[in-house]
Amino acid sequence: VANLGYAEARWLRPVYPGDTLRARSTVIGLKQNSSGKTGVVWVRSEGFNQADEMVMSFVRWVMVRKRDEAAPAPQTVVPELEKAVLASELIVPDGLSFAGYNTGLAGSSYLYSDYNIGEVIDHVDGVTLSEAEHMMATRLWQNTAKVHFDATARPDGARLIYGGHVISMARALSFNGLGNVQMLAAINGGAHANPCFAGDTLRAWSEVLDKAETRDPSVGALRLRLVAQKGSTPHLRGDDGKYHSDVLLDLDYWAFIPR
């Protein structure tokens, strides 16, 4: 039915054009929802290249329909997941170096040392999402869920925008303020907080949660929280602790940046 969240995502080896990838997923948790019609399934997915080398590993949890709503609920198993990938476990790809990085050509002067833990960055710009754009992108990602394409799949007749498209748009907006962040190193956790539909205008802000040096003296790592929202509310959560209805995405990740 829907992707709900992510954790422990690590990129282990670089991938190049011409590589052949395959994936394997293992169910690590189950929990029936209170409606009895659906449940949450946790899986750990691993990607391998043609040499059978693991190139990435991640956990996600998804909502799945129950085959027989009258059947007893399966035993609840909620996996214990790490709150964050340890900085010491971040893998700098062989050959990656930011020595001699040219901030003039990059168009942004801010490097690793310019960011402070606790700093919040408003990415300023907004993008209004359209039907054609999100459906085309979702097809390219090989997501064929009917709710993204078929206006009759939901009672309200609206096509749900795929969460991966929201992540992509928010990441693009984040370059205004994080212009020299070069690549994601890990995803610590993430949640699609509320549904998103065409016509919504997406805005984003980031918070610097942590910083770490890596084995390469030219490469630093920033732990960032990326929040995408519609509207202009500054609130992440309400008094009840739940996400504000304007919040679409809450993503916690590590990224590499020149030092």
Side-chain angles (χ1 to χ4, degrees), residues 1-182:
V1 179
N3 282 300
L4 300 178
Y6 313 91
E8 298 182 11
R10 301 173 66 227
W11 283 267
L12 306 173
R13 286 180 174 80
V15 173
Y16 302 98
D19 286 350
T20 298
L21 303 180
R22 64 181 179 85
R24 177 181 67 200
S25 294
T26 303
V27 177
I28 60 173
L30 292 169
K31 183 178 184 295
Q32 181 170 296
N33 290 331
S34 58
S35 67
K37 298 180 180 180
T38 59
V40 178
V41 179
W42 285 261
V43 296
R44 184 179 301 277
S45 296
E46 298 163 326
F48 301 86
N49 62 18
Q50 66 277 8
D52 208 32
E53 299 169 323
M54 191 183 299
V55 299
M56 81 170 301
S57 173
F58 64 97
V59 173
R60 67 173 177 147
W61 43 105
V62 297
M63 188 185 302
V64 179
R65 291 184 178 88
K66 194 175 178 184
R67 186 189 305 275
D68 180 2
E69 295 179 7
Q75 180 182 357
T76 296
V77 177
V78 178
E80 292 187 12
L81 302 174
E82 298 293 336
K83 291 184 178 180
V85 175
L86 296 176
S88 59
E89 294 181 352
L90 299 178
I91 296 176
V92 178
D94 291 339
L96 178 69
S97 174
F98 295 143
Y101 187 88
N102 190 319
T103 56
L105 291 177
S108 174
S109 62
Y110 301 115
L111 301 177
Y112 174 79
S113 60
D114 295 308
Y115 293 92
N116 299 305
I117 296 174
E119 179 180 4
V120 175
I121 303 162
D122 182 355
H123 300 305
V124 182
D125 301 313
V127 57
T128 301
L129 304 178
S130 68
E131 293 281 19
E133 179 187 38
H134 89 82
M135 287 191 291
M136 180 172 63
T138 303
R139 281 289 188 210
L140 290 173
W141 286 316
Q142 298 187 31
N143 183 331
T144 59
K146 295 178 182 179
V147 290
H148 303 312
F149 303 98
D150 185 349
T152 67
R154 289 172 51 91
D156 59 8
R159 299 178 183 92
L160 185 68
I161 289 182
Y162 171 42
H165 190 54
V166 176
I167 293 175
S168 179
M169 291 293 99
R171 275 279 295 150
L173 291 173
S174 76
F175 280 91
N176 189 345
L178 294 170
N180 288 316
V181 167
Q182 293 298 302

